[in-house]
Structure formats: C-alpha cells, structure tokens
Amino acid sequence: MKQSFFQNSFWNTAFRPFFWFGSVFGILVISIWLFILSNILKNPIHINALHWHSYEMVFGFTKAIVLGFLFTAVQNWTNSTILKGKNLFYLLSFWLLGRFSFYSFGFDICSDIMVIYLLVPKLIVPTQKHNRPILYHYALFTIFHIMSALSAYSILDPEKTLLFIHLSIFVVLFLILIIGGRVVPFFSGVVIQGYSFKRMPKLESFLIYLPFIFYLSKLIQTYIEVYILTPFSFLQGTGVTIFGIFAFIVGFSLFASNTIRYISWKPWKSYQKPILWILYLGYFWVCFGFLLYSLAELNLFPISSAIHSLTVGGLSVFIYGMITRVSLGHTGRSIVASPLTVFAYILLNVSVVIRVFLPLFNQHKYAYYLSGIGWILCFIFFVVQYTIILYSPRPDGKPS
C-alpha cells in the first residue's frame, strides 16, 4: 500500500479504527443474533449459536473497543507512540480476519500476541510498575480466549466454552476498572468546580489483587465440582455447594469494594455533565452487576440476567461513554455530548433495565428484542455522528 494511505489521520492512533470498526461490527453481530432468535435467519455457522454470539461480543466488539482504549491510554502514560500506521493496520487486519473466520481463531490469537508484544517493552520498565497489572490481565485474556475457542472446537470440554468466555468478560471488566479508576476522577476534577475525593490507597491495593483471587476461585470451583467431586449440596435443597458459597464471598467482595470506591468519587456531582455521568452510570452497572452475579452463585438470581447487567450494563454503558468522550477530546473537539448522544445514553440504560429485569417476569423475548434493538440504535447513532470525526484530521492541525 502507498505510504500516503497510512499517513491519513485515521491511522494516527488506535482509537480511530478500533472504535469505528468495533461499533459497526457490534451492530452487525447483535442484528444477526436477533434474526437467529426470531427464526428469520438460520444459524449461519456450525457451532452453538449462543457460543458464537457470546464469543463475538467479547472477542469481536468488546476487544476492539478495549484495544482502542488501551493503546490510547498506554501511549499517554508512557508519553510515547506505540501503535500507528502500518502496525495499526496489521493489528486491525488480524482482528477483522478473526471475525469472518468464525472460530478459526488463529488470526484472533495473532492479534492478542501482537498486543502483548507491543505492550511488554512499554510496561515492563521500572517506571511503569503500577501499570503492569494491565499486562497480566491481557495475558490472562489471551489464555481464556484460546481455551474458549478450543472448547468450542470440542478439543476441550465444549461445556466449558461459556466458562472461559465469561472469565474473559471479567478480565475486560477489571481492565475497565483499572483505567476507569484513573480517568473518571480525573475527568471529574477537570469539569466540576471544586471537585475532590478521598483517596484510599489500601482499598486500591486490595482492588489490584482481588481480580486474581476471583479468576482462581472460578477455575477451582468449576474443576473441583465437575471433575473431582460429584456436585454436592451444601444447603440442602438449594443446589448451592460450598464452593458456591466461597464464590459468593469473592463476588460480594468485588461489589462492596468497588461500591465504596464509587461512592468516594461523589458521582452525584456529575449530574449536569452527561458526558461525565454516563461514565458513572457505567461504573454503577459494574458494581450492581457484581452484586447480582454473587447472588447468582447462591441461585438467588438468574445467571443470564446477572451476566448481562455486567455486559449490556457495565461494559456497554462505560464503553459508550468513553468512545464518545475520547473521540471528541482526542481529536481536538469540544467535549460536550450532543442531544442525540445524550438520547443514546438514556436509551442504552433503558436497554440494560429491559434486558436484566424483564426476564424475571418471564418476558424473555421482549427482553431480547427490545434491549437488542435499543443497543443497535445507540451504536448506529454513534456511527452516524462520529464517522466524520474519526476519519478527519484534528481541526487544530495537531497530531491525534
């Protein structure tokens, strides 16, 4: 390709192509999923449709957006250029080829390996010690990615496909909590006059290690219950095992610790700034999702609704807030949400409520279709408004 192609501002930084292609792909995947659920379209692939939907939303849509965040953040932290031009094009190509090959995951894994290859030299240095957990989490994300694909291929137990996909979801959540824990209070201090919050170093240290306890507990719980012991009920008649009790404790600890952190940020002060309160709402859904997930471990809440409170809620809402903010701020534009963007913020949160709570009243189809359509519309609004922004140079002429 001609060098002039890579000199286009679209290839200057990772968030531009990954936000755009990730959003378009997310619209496509959810649309196909709704067509499959309504029997308008037959399953286009020869694997479990639920596994495909989950896989592509995590390793397709979510991964693309996270890569846009991650490289933008790490470049700011290290004050260096890590990914642009040809390398950015190659990484995006690996991701795209992984999408259209459906579980021929070699390209997908190549993209993960390339991410780690690019990040290691920047984050392994002594001055970036505090950022190394990001590298550890992404390494685990890659491992769970491989395991989920091998399970889907039946090379490993196919019943464990969703386990590894769900673990990958939590890796992304923890990455967002790390990045969000830095940028949300910072953004608040920039736009809210007189803003301050109480820093809690011990809590922050606890939040660094707790995710790794969660990963370990889930793997131990699954493999002991399935492969070593016949599942036994710890509470007669409830189906809850002693390992489920421990998983509840870990999940509830995630809820409690992150909620304390969340409240310390004084989220109520953001009410006048939609492009700020959407981030707080995303973080709220993460905290609330941890609570629902911990209750699901005791069979007190449906696991599907709990997972979707974390994905449609925590991930999508926080992602939407960040892609709208970053796309404006890092292209030299005023960081103010348009009326259509604010409408999308509201619609997306309504979609979360529908998806999480309507199934509790046996309204599963309404939950799937209404939340799915709402989600699609939100990302269509993003693509319509932000395509020109993402493809155009900064108005001030500075590199983005």
Side-chain angles (χ1 to χ4, degrees), residues 108-381:
D108 253 358
I109 299 305
C110 283
S111 68
D112 286 334
I113 292 171
M114 185 174 177
V115 170
I116 294 172
Y117 172 79
L118 291 168
L119 291 180
V120 165
K122 298 297 182 180
L123 298 184
I124 207 67
V125 297
T127 56
Q128 293 296 319
K129 183 177 180 180
H130 60 295
N131 289 323
R132 288 180 194 167
I134 289 174
L135 192 59
Y136 305 149
H137 282 294
Y138 201 90
L140 285 172
F141 180 82
T142 303
I143 292 170
F144 294 145
H145 187 179
I146 295 170
M147 301 293 277
S148 64
L150 292 176
S151 299
Y153 271 127
S154 297
I155 296 173
L156 298 176
D157 184 355
E159 294 297 321
K160 297 296 171 287
T161 303
L162 280 181
L163 167 67
F164 294 119
I165 292 175
H166 287 173
L167 284 171
S168 301
I169 290 171
F170 278 96
V171 174
V172 177
L173 284 166
F174 295 137
L175 282 172
I176 284 179
L177 292 177
I178 292 172
I179 296 174
R182 299 175 185 181
V183 301
V184 174
F186 171 75
F187 292 158
S188 299
V190 170
V191 301
I192 300 174
Q193 187 174 4
Y195 176 82
S196 64
F197 71 100
K198 183 181 179 180
R199 300 183 184 277
M200 293 177 281
K202 291 184 178 179
L203 178 64
E204 294 298 325
S205 297
F206 180 69
L207 288 172
I208 290 175
Y209 296 105
L210 187 56
F212 298 101
I213 297 173
F214 173 84
Y215 300 141
L216 186 62
S217 70
K218 289 303 297 180
L219 291 171
I220 291 174
Q221 175 190 1
T222 299
Y223 283 93
I224 287 182
E225 288 184 357
V226 174
Y227 295 113
I228 298 178
L229 299 175
T230 300
F232 59 91
S233 176
F234 182 68
L235 300 175
Q236 191 65 34
T238 67
V240 177
T241 69
I242 191 170
F243 307 107
I245 297 290
F246 182 72
F248 163 79
I249 293 171
V250 175
F252 192 84
S253 297
L254 284 167
F255 158 70
S257 55
N258 279 285
T259 299
I260 292 171
R261 182 198 215 188
Y262 175 72
I263 293 173
S264 75
W265 292 344
K266 305 173 183 176
W268 54 88
K269 292 196 172 186
S270 68
Y271 74 97
Q272 290 183 324
K273 304 288 183 180
I275 208 157
L276 183 58
W277 59 244
I278 187 64
L279 298 178
Y280 280 109
L281 273 177
Y283 206 104
F284 163 80
W285 282 114
V286 173
C287 297
F288 188 60
F290 284 148
L291 173 62
L292 299 184
Y293 189 83
S294 65
L295 293 176
E297 294 286 1
L298 300 180
N299 296 329
L300 297 176
F301 197 83
I303 186 63
S304 177
S305 287
I307 288 292
H308 282 86
S309 68
L310 290 166
T311 53
V312 184
L315 288 180
S316 292
V317 174
F318 196 89
I319 279 173
Y320 205 87
M322 284 298 289
I323 63 177
T324 52
R325 183 184 183 92
V326 170
S327 297
L328 294 172
H330 284 265
T331 60
R333 290 166 171 84
S334 178
I335 308 176
V336 178
S338 69
L340 183 58
T341 297
V342 176
F343 175 73
Y345 291 165
I346 296 169
L347 178 60
L348 187 55
N349 280 278
V350 170
S351 299
V352 181
V353 173
I354 290 171
R355 180 58 188 86
V356 173
F357 293 106
L358 273 192
L360 303 182
F361 304 95
N362 294 319
Q363 301 297 324
H364 294 85
K365 286 189 175 181
Y366 284 115
Y368 302 153
Y369 298 145
L370 292 177
S371 64
I373 292 170
W375 195 96
I376 289 169
L377 286 173
C378 289
F379 281 89
I380 288 175
F381 296 155

Side-chain angles (χ1 to χ4, degrees), residues 18-37:
F18 277 113
F19 285 5
W20 193 86
F21 278 96
S23 297
V24 171
F25 182 74
I27 293 167
L28 177 64
V29 169
I30 295 297
S31 298
I32 292 173
W33 178 237
L34 293 182
F35 285 141
I36 292 173
L37 289 177

Side-chain angles (χ1 to χ4, degrees), residues 38-53:
S38 59
N39 295 317
I40 294 174
L41 178 69
K42 290 185 178 179
N43 185 1
I45 49 178
H46 300 293
I47 59 171
N48 184 301
L50 175 61
H51 292 174
W52 170 79
H53 161 69

